[in-house]
Amino acid sequence: MERFGSILDDLFPEMVAWRRHLHQHPELSFHENKTAEYIYGHLTRWGIEAKKGVGGHGVVGVIRGSEAGPTVALRADMDALPIQDQKQCEYASKVPGVMHACGHDAHTATLLAVAKSFQEQRGELKGNVVCIFQPAEEFTPGGAAPMIREGVLDGVDVIYGVHLWTPFPSGSVYTATGRLMAAADEFQIEITGKGGHAGLPHETVDSIVVASQLVMNLQTIVSRNVDPAEPSVVSVGFIQAGTAFNVIAGTCAMIGTVRSFNEQVRDLVRARIEQIAAETCRMHGAECRVDYKAGYPPVINDETEAERFFRTVPGLFPAENVRRSPLIMAGEDFAYYLQKIPGCFMLVGAGNEQAGIIHPHHHPKFDIDETAMLNAAKLLTRMALSYLHGE
């Protein structure tokens, strides 16, 4: 590990340059054309066996060790978000309305460094390393499932992935045995009432009033229908209705999300949303249409691979910085890989209050402590070597 660590230390300035280039040139989910070419170009220049166009704009690099052995996959996502970058820095996004507000640029730069280090030290490897650069994590149906369908996990024994996480301080690393991140579903509700003059409400069915009551009624699902021991969330994030101050809106649309870790809870919440929406609208003489879209399943780490983290990583980081993660209500399509083969998804602290890196993911001023990339690279390398060498 020392040789790999030294190589990664030397690669850190390049890692920062790669990340900043990607940060300035972000691409949305399903449109990662130039990002994929950038990755593919680096891999092929280093002599790595590479393939592009996997499951959309996915790129796969394979490093084959000098000795026979198992195959480890490492994954990074590479898409950006439709958010206007508000940071004042030299590497701010140059694409209006698009930015890397979740750290996927850093994930890509991290895995590039790991790939290069393994390629340089492939004579030390007992087995193979597959580097998966995945598109379209931010929006369902995501990029993991198409890459799996196109065989990215064929012959792979185990998979590891990281997410740089600004709520955790830089220098810390986290994971959990079993449940780590939530299933993330989306619902859309369209309420149809009867519009009219705002001064004559008795002649209308006010869709905004119905929607307001529905939002409050939906809050009873978690508080009164779900077992308090089962974490879950129902949130309405978008409401749109009306055209003028003196017009009662005849229609109202709302969009929300459901987060859960248990399939039974997931099914219960969906059924209650549909029932409560129908009954609330019926009570007011309105009608509704509910469109419920199941998103990514929960991220559930393999027990053996999570224990590998807690067994081997304290030798890489101070023991007090290797921690068990709380449940995270964000979703991740890394879950699909874990449904197919054993693996472990890990969180690497990337926040730094002293440096002003305090903004949450998906915020227009989001940034990371870039030293977290080096920590992530060493973590992925340590996990891969542990598995390949049978530790």
Side-chain angles (χ1 to χ4, degrees):
M1 180 67 202
E2 285 115 10
R3 279 193 294 273
F4 285 95
S6 177
I7 292 172
L8 291 170
D9 287 337
D10 292 341
L11 283 173
F12 180 63
E14 291 183 75
M15 226 184 295
V16 171
W18 299 331
R19 182 256 168 167
R20 293 187 177 188
H21 169 85
L22 293 168
H23 199 85
Q24 292 178 80
H25 303 92
E27 293 180 298
L28 294 173
S29 304
F30 309 106
H31 298 278
E32 307 93 342
N33 304 315
K34 293 180 181 178
T35 304
E37 289 294 338
Y38 185 81
I39 295 165
Y40 182 79
H42 279 78
L43 297 179
T44 53
R45 276 195 299 275
W46 300 332
I48 294 173
E49 177 186 329
K51 183 179 180 180
K52 58 184 176 179
V54 182
H57 296 299
V59 180
V60 179
V62 181
I63 299 99
R64 302 192 185 278
S66 61
E67 297 184 40
T71 297
V72 173
L74 306 174
R75 174 270 205 170
D77 41 16
M78 59 187 191
D79 53 328
L81 285 156
I83 298 172
Q84 177 63 45
D85 196 345
Q86 295 181 6
K87 292 191 302 300
Q88 300 297 315
C89 63
E90 62 181 11
Y91 53 86
S93 173
K94 295 181 178 180
V95 182
V98 182
M99 73 171 288
H100 276 289
C102 202
H104 296 187
D105 52 339
H107 299 167
T108 296
T110 295
L111 189 53
L112 281 172
V114 172
K116 188 175 185 182
S117 68
F118 275 126
Q119 177 69 358
E120 291 181 6
Q121 293 292 312
R122 59 190 180 280
E124 303 284 324
L125 295 182
K126 299 177 181 178
N128 309 311
V129 177
V130 176
C131 296
I132 300 171
F133 296 88
Q134 181 206 300
E137 186 277 332
E138 292 290 0
F139 292 100
T140 56
M147 293 194 80
I148 292 169
R149 286 195 296 270
E150 294 194 17
V152 74
L153 295 182
D154 292 354
V156 174
D157 298 291
V158 70
I159 187 167
Y160 304 117
V162 296
H163 202 306
L164 301 188
W165 201 244
T166 57
F168 296 155
S170 184
S172 61
V173 291
Y174 291 71
T175 198
T177 302
R179 303 188 300 182
L180 177 64
M181 301 180 78
D185 298 340
E186 177 186 334
F187 62 87
Q188 299 183 23
I189 302 175
E190 184 175 315
I191 297 168
T192 302
K194 180 183 177 184
H197 197 290
L200 303 170
H202 60 292
E203 296 180 357
T204 71
V205 176
D206 191 334
S207 65
I208 293 178
V209 170
V210 179
S212 300
Q213 185 164 347
L214 177 55
V215 169
M216 298 308 297
N217 289 346
L218 292 177
Q219 304 312 302
T220 66
I221 298 174
V222 172
S223 66
R224 289 297 177 267
N225 298 139
V226 175
D227 184 338
E230 284 290 342
S232 57
V233 170
V234 176
S235 293
V236 175
F238 172 94
I239 296 180
Q240 185 175 64
T243 57
F245 82 98
N246 59 351
V247 177
I248 286 179
T251 61
C252 181
M254 65 173 67
I255 302 174
T257 188
V258 174
R259 306 295 167 115
S260 61
F261 290 90
N262 178 298
E263 287 300 323
Q264 287 72 38
V265 170
R266 201 176 185 186
D267 292 341
L268 168 66
V269 172
R270 176 175 185 166
R272 288 294 289 147
I273 287 174
E274 292 171 346
Q275 181 183 18
I276 289 172
E279 293 298 323
T280 302
C281 288
R282 183 188 59 80
M283 181 174 64
H284 290 280
E287 297 180 351
C288 73
R289 180 180 61 83
V290 179
D291 182 14
Y292 193 100
K293 181 166 63 176
Y296 303 149
V299 173
I300 302 177
N301 281 332
D302 178 79
E303 182 176 345
T304 298
E305 295 312 316
E307 288 306 320
R308 182 185 305 279
F309 170 91
F310 291 111
R311 184 177 71 252
T312 65
V313 173
L316 185 61
F317 301 99
E320 64 272 18
N321 289 353
V322 180
R323 304 172 183 173
R324 292 191 180 272
S325 176
L327 295 178
I328 305 294
M329 283 298 180
E332 242 289 351
D333 71 346
F334 193 85
Y336 290 121
Y337 301 112
L338 294 175
Q339 288 184 335
K340 297 295 183 180
I341 60 173
C344 185
F345 196 61
M346 300 160 286
L347 300 167
V348 176
N352 187 331
E353 290 188 14
Q354 291 182 336
I357 300 172
I358 57 174
H359 298 289
H361 293 256
H362 296 203
H363 189 281
K365 291 186 178 180
F366 175 84
D367 205 351
I368 61 162
D369 181 338
E370 290 176 321
T371 62
M373 293 190 292
L374 184 57
N375 293 335
K378 291 181 177 180
L379 174 59
L380 286 172
T381 301
R382 184 71 187 89
M383 293 290 285
L385 290 174
S386 173
Y387 190 92
L388 290 174
H389 296 169
E391 297 177 3

